[in-house]
Amino acid sequence: MTEPLRLSKRMSELGLCSRREADEWIARGWVRVDGQVVSELGSKVLPSQRITVERQAQAQQARRVTVLLHKPVGYVSGQAEDGYKPAVVLVKPENRWSADPSPEQFHPAQLKSLVPAGRLDIDSVGLLVLTQDGRIAKKLIGEDTSIEKEYLVRVQYTKPGRLPDADLKKLNHGLWMDGKPLLPAKVRWQNDDQLSFTLREGKKRQIRRMCEMVGLKVVGLKRVRIGRVKLGELPPGQWRYLAPDEQF
């Protein structure tokens, strides 16, 4: 016999929405199981049962925005900490990129529940995704995400000579962190002092720690791509909307 699951968990598994959204929709009576409205939080369903959502839920989800920000140094990705401002404070009309092709109009309500899907250290720059859409957040930072993130990393070698090829190979595969082997990465030289890193995971300060393990000091780190979405020409401190036809 298959075990019943919490309805909100099952909705998240099916990619309908995030668990938080599911709870909100359930409470509003917007969720049906086998055609019957289920409005009690914590309700359970069998995997074989059919879950549908009302049009109001789909309309609410369609209004949720995703913002691409070129985060500068000195801003934290999430909550304000140690006197530093969160990156979301940059999302205001005067900082919107003048070349943003999206027809979306800015409204202060878009700042509600606009949260980072992934993080960049305070001293790192580049592409930061802020979203109201739980599906996108799950896709980018869920445990089973396979979406690549690409970084340009300026480094200094702290030992004599150049980084040995064997250590470059270790950066690609073979390092351990926090007691676990890291997933294979793609690491290659861009020029004499800059490496390109492409990762499918995002442990805290991962690139800086990987570099330290082979004697490299990171002097600059910039995220330039998440999946198929590139930072492109977006200027530092400015933002644009994720276009309807853009997919990570």
Side-chain angles (χ1 to χ4, degrees), residues 166-185:
D167 283 347
L168 182 65
K169 280 183 181 168
K170 272 190 203 167
L171 288 172
N172 278 271
H173 194 210
L175 295 177
W176 285 58
M177 197 173 285
D178 304 329
K180 291 181 179 175
L182 293 174
L183 293 176

Side-chain angles (χ1 to χ4, degrees), residues 18-166:
S18 68
R19 286 200 204 183
R20 189 169 63 181
E21 279 176 316
D23 283 336
E24 183 187 334
W25 294 356
I26 292 163
R28 290 188 176 200
W30 289 353
V31 179
R32 290 176 184 264
V33 177
D34 292 339
Q36 299 295 311
V37 172
V38 175
S39 56
E40 190 178 327
L41 293 177
S43 296
K44 296 197 170 185
V45 293
L46 291 168
S48 57
Q49 291 185 280
R50 184 166 174 264
I51 300 167
T52 53
V53 297
E54 302 291 334
R55 279 203 301 270
Q56 299 99 305
Q58 293 166 340
Q60 185 193 68
Q61 201 167 48
R63 288 198 302 273
R64 299 210 156 144
V65 299
T66 296
V67 164
L68 309 175
L69 172 71
H70 186 159
K71 187 188 93 65
V73 168
Y75 289 83
V76 291
S77 298
Q79 299 291 321
E81 55 185 77
D82 301 330
Y84 292 107
K85 291 180 180 177
V88 72
V89 302
L90 295 168
V91 182
K92 49 190 176 183
E94 57 267 38
N95 289 349
R96 184 175 179 180
W97 187 31
S98 59
D100 184 359
S102 172
E104 185 78 50
Q105 295 294 308
F106 177 78
H107 191 278
Q110 292 166 355
L111 297 173
K112 187 186 175 200
S113 305
L114 190 68
V115 295
R119 62 193 302 283
L120 272 177
D121 296 329
I122 191 164
D123 40 6
S124 300
V125 303
L127 182 58
L128 183 67
V129 177
L130 300 150
T131 187
Q132 292 179 311
D133 192 332
R135 295 169 304 171
I136 286 178
K138 185 170 185 279
K139 192 178 286 184
L140 298 189
I141 57 176
E143 288 176 15
D144 54 353
T145 183
S146 60
I147 289 183
E148 291 184 340
K149 299 173 181 76
E150 184 181 349
Y151 304 80
L152 295 180
V153 186
R154 204 165 289 285
V155 292
Q156 289 173 348
Y157 193 43
T158 58
K159 301 174 185 177
R162 264 184 75 81
L163 181 76
D165 287 345

Side-chain angles (χ1 to χ4, degrees), residues 179-208:
K180 291 181 179 175
L182 293 174
L183 293 176
K186 295 176 198 161
V187 185
R188 63 184 191 278
W189 287 106
Q190 290 286 102
N191 51 46
D192 285 348
D193 67 346
Q194 189 167 253
L195 287 162
S196 162
F197 274 73
T198 302
L199 307 179
R200 284 187 293 119
E201 59 190 331
K203 294 182 184 292
K204 192 170 183 180
R205 297 183 79 81
Q206 179 172 336
I207 290 175
R208 294 173 192 276

Side-chain angles (χ1 to χ4, degrees), residues 220-247:
L221 190 152
K222 181 180 189 178
R223 184 157 61 204
V224 294
R225 177 175 67 84
I226 298 177
R228 291 193 218 122
V229 176
K230 294 179 180 177
L231 179 65
E233 304 291 313
L234 186 62
Q238 295 189 22
W239 61 274
R240 68 174 179 88
Y241 290 106
L242 181 74
D245 61 343
E246 277 184 300
Q247 296 279 325

